[in-house]
Amino acid sequence: MTARRTYPLVELDRRVEPHGDPLKGYLVAANEAVVVIHVLDEGYRLDGYNAFRRDTVDALDELAADAPRRAVIEAALRLRRQRPRPPRGLDVTSMRTVLLTASATHDLVAIHQEQLDAEICEIGRVRLSTARSYVIDPIDPGARWEHPPRRYRFADVTRVDFGNAYERVLAQVATAWGHPRPSDRPRPR
């Protein structure tokens, strides 16, 4: 029988996120380029992943073992039979590989370019890429695909979110309402 791997419960601070409290989650991957947490939401549920460009992370601190919240968090996860784990198939070599592998394994990803504009993120599906840029089919908050596709530089990506409840429901509603992804639509002849 193999022992289960444990992941540290951390609080993560970033100056590019102007909205207060540190993010909480379990540190499931980290290297010189990328930090990935299994996100802990406000209701103490695991809800998808956030991957950050390492140079945008200002502080990464493990929650103390004797912190009162920690016992409640761990009990809540046990009751829900949730446990932190790294995302399957995610390549954390760089933000480029994170974005491409997350997009290949999840219906939607949220892409942040906070050093260009901290208030905006683009949600969609990566359609194609080159060594320096990618093209995304964006989706709006009303679950409608936007046109035309948009091109961005990998160098500007500071954060990628994927596998969370919001992105999953947005993809499900778009499908249920008959809004196929633009790259999935039949081409006119």
Side-chain angles (χ1 to χ4, degrees):
M1 184 155 143
T2 359
R4 280 193 187 154
R5 178 151 182 215
T6 59
Y7 299 95
L9 176 56
V10 297
E11 291 186 325
L12 186 137
D13 262 319
R14 302 171 69 235
R15 73 179 146 266
V16 294
E17 295 215 30
H19 305 306
D21 293 338
L23 298 164
K24 291 175 189 57
Y26 287 86
L27 182 65
V28 294
N31 59 33
E32 303 79 35
V34 176
V35 172
V36 181
I37 63 170
H38 198 166
V39 176
L40 186 69
D41 73 12
E42 291 177 3
Y44 297 155
R45 291 176 197 83
L46 293 173
D47 185 24
Y49 299 90
N50 294 158
F52 305 95
R53 202 171 71 196
R54 183 62 172 235
D55 66 353
T56 68
V57 175
D58 298 314
L60 185 65
D61 299 309
E62 186 166 359
L63 198 61
D66 61 350
R69 279 183 311 186
R70 186 176 186 126
V72 174
I73 291 167
E74 290 170 351
L77 293 177
R78 274 192 307 276
L79 288 169
R80 291 187 182 105
R81 293 187 170 101
Q82 288 188 310
R83 62 178 186 189
R85 64 187 71 194
R88 286 194 181 132
L90 188 70
D91 181 344
V92 295
T93 304
S94 66
M95 286 304 284
R96 178 184 185 277
T97 61
V98 165
L99 177 54
L100 294 177
T101 55
S103 189
T105 56
H106 294 82
D107 288 330
L108 297 174
V109 293
I111 305 163
H112 302 258
Q113 299 175 34
E114 297 148 315
Q115 292 172 328
L116 298 179
D117 188 336
E119 298 297 321
I120 295 176
C121 84
E122 190 81 67
I123 298 176
R125 179 112 172 133
V126 174
R127 172 191 285 223
L128 57 96
S129 67
T130 67
R132 293 187 181 163
S133 66
Y134 62 94
V135 174
I136 186 171
D137 287 325
I139 193 167
D140 70 19
R144 288 178 296 281
W145 295 98
E146 297 178 353
H147 305 285
R150 298 185 187 129
R151 178 177 299 275
Y152 296 101
R153 294 175 346 129
F154 283 113
D156 294 328
V157 175
T158 56
R159 173 178 169 177
V160 177
D161 305 341
F162 55 96
N164 68 41
Y166 178 70
E167 286 132 21
R168 285 193 313 269
V169 78
L170 202 58
Q172 291 167 347
V173 169
T175 300
W177 285 354
H179 301 298
R181 198 174 77 201
S183 57
D184 292 340
R185 290 186 180 147
R187 300 204 185 276
R189 294 180 190 193

